[in-house]
């Protein structure tokens, strides 16, 4: 998938959800109770409480109006990982992401790691796992990559299903970069293996590298004059869908905008993005 057009320099705002119709044809993790998942929200409880009267006073006639009033934004893409040391090294050291928060659930034997692409030169002031980091995570305007680690998988025979087999919905995550060829060479020199190198296959100029768990990570050429100085920026999550006439309106209600569509002989691609209030495609 090739994303073109000028991308806002505020890269955290412009991460794409790519949905594919008719394109190439897991282990389950423990699901904690809703009460357990509220653990990191303690740092926000006062601010949320102060906002309740405003929402309580709303008199909306449709669910869509109620949802719109909450100003939904796309917040995360989650991947289950086997070994956080290996996965963090890949996404932080190689792909340039920043770990903004870590939420631990020792009672349920799993941890959550949240990473994002910060603009080049911007330092992150918070220690992951603190109330300040929790507050940043749940109020930041950008999109995160959430890595879920279930205790013990780093030393057992666990292997998560990365998608991309017949009838699988999940496809890949993607990063934009100025030079896909140079980026692929860097990752190859670092010991990464590839599903597809830039000059392989029918679609030249893009690549798919495997992350430590075998998930496909696409390298996509960045548009010229994008204003993004990072070597990489987290840019897409790809899902395969059955009926775009149902899927696209669903995500539009959640605040995403259809910014591009490509149609081929056997499949179509639809790109959706979240824009800050007041900005348009």
């Amino acid at each position: 998938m090739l994303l073109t057009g000028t991308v806002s320099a505020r890269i955290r705002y412009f991460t794409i959800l790519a949905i594919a119709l008719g394109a190439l044809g897991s282990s389950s993790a423990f699901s904690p109770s809703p009460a357990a998942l509220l653990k990191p929200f303690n740092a926000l409880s006062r601010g949320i409480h102060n906002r309740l009267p405003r929402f309580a006073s709303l008199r909306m006639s449709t669910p869509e109006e109620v949802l719109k009033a909450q100003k939904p934004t796309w917040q995360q893409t989650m991947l289950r990982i086997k070994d956080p040391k290996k996965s963090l090294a890949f996404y932080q050291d190689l792909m340039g992401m920043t770990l903004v928060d870590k939420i631990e659930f020792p009672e349920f034997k799993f941890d959550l790691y949240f990473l994002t692409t910060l603009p080049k030169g911007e330092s992150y002031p918070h220690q992951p796992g603190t109330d300040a980091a929790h507050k940043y995570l749940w109020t930041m305007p950008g999109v995160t990559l959430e890595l879920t680690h279930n205790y013990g998988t780093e030393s057992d025979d666990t292997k998560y299903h990365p998608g991309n087999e017949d009838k699988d919905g999940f496809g890949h995550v993607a990063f934009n970069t100025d030079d896909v060829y140079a980026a692929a060479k860097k990752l190859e020199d670092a010991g990464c293996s590839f599903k597809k190198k830039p000059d392989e296959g029918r679609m030249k100029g893009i690549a798919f590298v495997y992350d430590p768990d075998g998930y496909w990570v696409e390298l996509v050429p960045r548009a010229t004059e994008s204003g993004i100085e990072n070597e990489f920026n987290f840019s897409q999550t790809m899902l395969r869908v059955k009926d775009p006439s149902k899927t696209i309106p669903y995500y539009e209600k959640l605040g995403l905008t259809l910014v591009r569509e490509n149609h081929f002989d056997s499949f179509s691609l639809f790109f959706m993005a979240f824009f800050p209030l007041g900005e348009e495609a």
Side-chain angles (χ1 to χ4, degrees), residues 9 13 73 95 134 158 279:
Y13 287 151
T73 61
M95 305 309 298
H134 296 336
T158 294
E279 290 193 15

Side-chain angles (χ1 to χ4, degrees), residues 198-211:
D199 274 337
E200 296 175 345
R202 291 177 297 175
M203 298 181 70
K204 309 299 183 183
I206 65 171
F208 287 89
V209 61
Y210 291 116
D211 88 345

